[in-house]
Amino acid sequence: MDHEPTIAQDQSLTATKGRQSLKGRGPVKGLGRDALVASICGGVVALMIGASYAAVPFYNWFCRATGFNGTTQVATAAPAAGPIARKIAVRFDSNVAPGLPWKFEPEQSQIEVNIGQVVTVFYTVTNQAARTTAGQAAYNVAPLTVGSYFQKINCFCFTEQTMAPGEKREMPVVFYVDPSVADDHENDGLNTITLSYTFYPVRDPVVKPLASGEGDKRKGNL
């Protein structure tokens, strides 16, 4: 009987130490979990930011490669097969975004060409400002599904354009419609393509020296 209080005291002391030990470990474990969650969230945010920057060039590359959304293609030469008898009308559209004081219009609103025929057309651009301005043209064709068949050999839209005060310039576009469009039965009823450009202002233009002999001379069809 004399030993029972001693046993109870020992058990109480042991339980108290256990609770203290658990209390000591609790915040450490909680802090570790919080740090892990924070690290995961930070990694996800960084991944999302990186993906957003990568999405724009990937989207542009995808459009150029597939003709998606009416994006035209770039060719280095005329088609090997040559033009075919089927004709198609090509309409030309021009637009200028706010903030760019340019007058921009095609010299012809529409032409009729043989599919596969290489054609050169001109747009006229006038800088109506009393200062040097620069622009870059965005482009597409309609119907949007024709983008993969519309081939440009040369175009002012490939590079940034810088215009002196009051300057007027003729800008060529050399293109053809790929004869393979005739094999695409979804385009059996196609008789008109609209080529559309929109010039957007460039805030910090790169001034390039004019090469000797370079000018606005018409070079004709390639």
Side-chain angles (χ1 to χ4, degrees):
M1 296 294 293
D2 294 338
H3 297 289
E4 290 180 359
T6 303
I7 296 173
Q9 290 176 358
D10 292 342
Q11 291 176 343
S12 176
L13 181 60
T14 302
T16 301
K17 290 182 177 181
R19 286 194 297 273
Q20 290 177 348
S21 177
L22 291 174
K23 289 181 180 179
R25 294 178 182 178
V28 175
K29 290 184 177 180
L31 181 61
R33 286 194 298 270
D34 292 343
L36 178 61
V37 171
S39 298
I40 294 174
C41 290
V44 171
V45 171
L47 181 62
M48 291 176 65
I49 293 174
S52 65
Y53 280 101
V56 174
F58 176 79
Y59 177 78
N60 290 338
W61 169 84
F62 176 79
C63 289
R64 290 194 303 269
T66 64
F68 179 75
N69 204 28
T71 304
T72 61
Q73 306 300 291
V74 178
T76 56
I84 62 177
R86 180 178 168 183
K87 292 181 178 291
I88 194 166
V90 181
R91 297 178 61 250
F92 304 103
D93 177 55
S94 59
N95 306 278
V96 179
L100 187 62
W102 287 7
K103 181 180 180 182
F104 174 49
E105 57 188 3
E107 292 191 350
Q108 297 172 279
S109 61
Q110 180 173 313
I111 61 173
E112 187 177 60
V113 299
N114 289 88
I115 292 178
Q117 176 186 354
V118 178
V119 182
T120 300
V121 297
F122 290 86
Y123 279 75
T124 302
V125 183
T126 304
N127 179 14
Q128 298 178 317
R131 68 184 191 282
T132 298
T133 53
Q136 177 76 54
Y139 52 88
N140 72 340
V141 292
L144 301 181
T145 54
V146 185
S148 59
Y149 299 107
F150 199 96
Q151 304 282 344
K152 291 179 182 176
I153 297 176
N154 187 25
C155 181
F156 58 84
C157 58
F158 292 163
T159 58
E160 175 186 305
Q161 301 294 325
T162 301
M163 303 280 288
E167 180 183 358
K168 182 178 180 180
R169 187 183 303 170
E170 292 176 334
M171 297 183 176
V173 183
V174 183
F175 70 91
Y176 65 88
V177 180
D178 197 309
S180 62
V181 71
D183 299 325
D184 185 350
H185 295 298
E186 292 185 359
N187 292 303
D188 285 346
L190 180 67
N191 50 34
T192 303
I193 296 175
T194 300
L195 174 62
S196 180
Y197 290 99
T198 300
F199 260 112
Y200 291 90
V202 175
R203 300 304 179 187
D204 299 311
V206 178
V207 179
K208 299 179 181 179
L210 187 65
S212 177
E214 183 180 350
D216 298 330
K217 296 179 180 180
R218 296 170 179 258
K219 296 182 180 181
N221 293 359
L222 298 185

